[in-house]
Amino acid sequence: MPRNPRYDPLFEPVRIGPVTASNRFYAVPHAAGMTNSMPHMRAAFRGMKAAGGWGVVCSGYVSIDPGSDDAPLPYATLWDDDDVRSHALMTDAVHGHGALAGIELWHGGGSVMNRLTRLPTMSPSGTSWMATHVNFMGNQRPRVMDTHDIRALLAQQGAAARRARQAGFDIVYVYAGMGYLPYEFLLPEWNQRSDAYGGSVANRVRIVRELLEVTHEAVGGRCAVALRISLEELRARPSDTAPSEAHEVVGLLGDLPDLWDVKMDSSPTDCPPSRFAAEGSHEPVIDFVKKLTSKPVVGVGRFTSPDTMVSQVRRGVLDLIGAARPSIADPFLPLKIDEGRESEIRECIGCNICISSWHDGVPVRCTQNPTAGEEWRRGWHPERTPKAASAASVLVVGAGPAGLECALWLGRRGYAVSVAEAADDIGGRLRFETRLPGLGAWGRVVDWRRGQLERLTNVNIYRGNRLSADEILELGCAHVALATGSRWARLLYSPLELATGMLEAPGVLTPDDLAAGAAVAGPVVVYDFDNYYMGGVLAEHLARGGHAVSYVTPAGHASAWTIMSNEQPQVHRALFSAGVALHTLSRVTAFAEGAVTLANQFTNEERQLPCRSLVIVGARFANDALHRELGTRAGELAAAGIRSVTRIGDALAPGAIVHAVYSGHRYARELDADPAQLTLRRDAPLPGQS
Ligand code: ADP
Ligand code: SF4
């Protein structure tokens, strides 16, 4: 199909200093968990975006010197010639598809702990980042930078920029954002210096100016020099000479960078979950930048709609449409727009599992795109799959995220697929969850698969069909994939941190009961030791529905794990604003006569809370009854011509939606495959690298 002319502006070339991007699609630097010890995975992951039509594809954050070490978070390095060769794999992969390659050179300053290198850390005035969450805490406090340190920093940036050029990068960054070293100079809380680098805005911005100058000098006009800068805090600060300090900073630097890459200051606002922020949420902070520079401006905003993208360009907000998450969820987004297939875009749902992968220290995982990170080690392509050797029949039982993903890719491979779903509509757990506050965008998991499945004539979906083992045997499909999901348990939580002790009593509910429409009587206690989104979002939902709600958890924070997905600050805000009372470090030990008994997790001191409905959000168990029954009927399976019965998704092991989709995808890819071909290739540093 031809491209919709409305989207033509997105395909205009953009000059960036000495180089030219072929279009306005710009895959911005983002962490993807692939360090220099995974150079092939990294090259394949970034190269896939170039194959999908992004005009520029950037690296993740790349340390310029051992004094900036973010271990155990996965960061890349460009410290020596071995590192140059490692990154050259990526630039080759990106150039192979005609895109420009950008590199985000980075020094973490007082935000890193140098746990690996054990070098002392440094910040402009010795200020340290005092994070409240364990995974960002450390016991190292930075030293105050002296003029020697400043000269050394400039030399390190220059040397790294020369290595970046050698590695084949076209755009080289100065990174003054997100609490890292150059950003620390910009804010008075970090910077109390009385020398030429502190005090006035002009002085605070000096280091950024000098970093830009040494980078220009190092690349000798052969690469563009980009400035990535966080403007959220600066925009909130009044200035005597401009509408805000952000205006002052941008005005002072003006045309010195070849490209402005503008963003927010902290991960939860820069990369906000869809639960709390809509597409384009950065605009009110960064909308002024283009007015103060003649150089192109790129910014992000979880853009998935081409109309929104065109509007950003037309209204003079951005020149280049930046994307991290949308480019992970669909590396082929630009090509789909170019080919008039925008309805096929696999839209990011804003769940931030990708970010959580970085916090976990592993290669990127994506709920929508199970092939992310698997391009090299499993050879998975996000758009293509090898055809099946036969058109054997496959029955998929259950049309939740696992069943739908499985059916889609089985269908694409050419199998004859039947999907049986007990409910009247597809979607599984998302039928309920997308009705909870802020989770509407998660429906894209179902919507995209629904749309893709409708194009396949070899996949038939039978709604309102709860299959029994007898019926499965009767159908006699060659392969059966059981995607029957999981159920929440009425279990309590022990001091040993185990789910144990069944609590069956009137008024005890689980999320499954609420999904099925169970009546709730207030006051309500939501007891959460699942720690992901469900407990918090249900508490918010019930409170907004008019109930008096208490949220109880043995953890130290509400929805404790959501610190990994950038949701937690806003989860707390949402609970407070909905009037939910928080009780942390507490276990529920009993529920009777209109009250729950809570025990302090550490002292066991008891107290009571009024409660008529207790919603337990804790353990989950697989719905594997069909699997167990079919397992006892091997003879009948063989007689019916059923060659395999396999559990996938939550029916195998309950997890987040990302795990269910991955499980369904993997089953579909691997059905009938030669076991010898199914090895998980292990990446390793290039020879010569330590
Ligand atoms: P997952 O996340 O693993 O996809 P879900 O719980 O979201 O799991 O989806 C499981 C789906 O399976 C639900 O829509 C449920 O209605 C369906 N299901 C469960 N048992 C059967 C069955 N026996 N026959 C057909 N559908 C079933
Ligand atoms: Fe988007 Fe979620 Fe995928 Fe991240 S993991 S790219 S937020 S769909």
Side-chain angles (χ1 to χ4, degrees), residues 142-156:
R143 71 177 193 278
V144 180
M145 289 174 76
D146 60 20
T147 44
H148 168 80
D149 292 321
I150 289 178
R151 278 199 304 277
L153 172 70
L154 293 168
Q156 289 158 9

Side-chain angles (χ1 to χ4, degrees), residues 325 328-329 348-354 365-368:
R325 291 174 292 175
I328 301 170
C348 164
I349 69 166
C351 62
N352 282 357
I353 285 293
C354 47
R365 294 160 297 193
C366 173
T367 299
Q368 277 286 59

Side-chain angles (χ1 to χ4, degrees), residues 370-445:
T371 71
E374 305 292 358
E375 300 83 358
W376 181 82
R377 69 172 189 174
R378 287 196 190 274
W380 289 356
H381 190 284
E383 299 297 310
R384 294 195 293 272
T385 176
K387 289 286 172 214
S390 75
S393 58
V394 186
L395 172 65
V396 179
V397 185
L404 290 173
E405 176 72 5
C406 177
L408 174 60
W409 287 84
L410 287 172
R412 286 181 169 181
R413 290 190 61 199
Y415 286 103
V417 185
S418 303
V419 184
E421 167 52 53
D424 290 337
D425 198 6
I426 62 174
R429 58 193 282 185
L430 285 168
R431 287 193 303 270
F432 172 60
E433 294 182 13
T434 50
R435 304 205 307 266
L436 296 173
L439 296 188
W442 291 22
R444 293 171 171 186
V445 170

Side-chain angles (χ1 to χ4, degrees), residues 37 39 92 101 114 131 206 262 363 367 395 400 503 508 514 520 554 556 560 621-622 684:
S37 65
D92 283 349
N114 288 350
R206 187 180 309 276
V262 289
T367 299
L395 172 65
L503 185 65
V508 178
L514 298 184
V520 175
F621 290 102

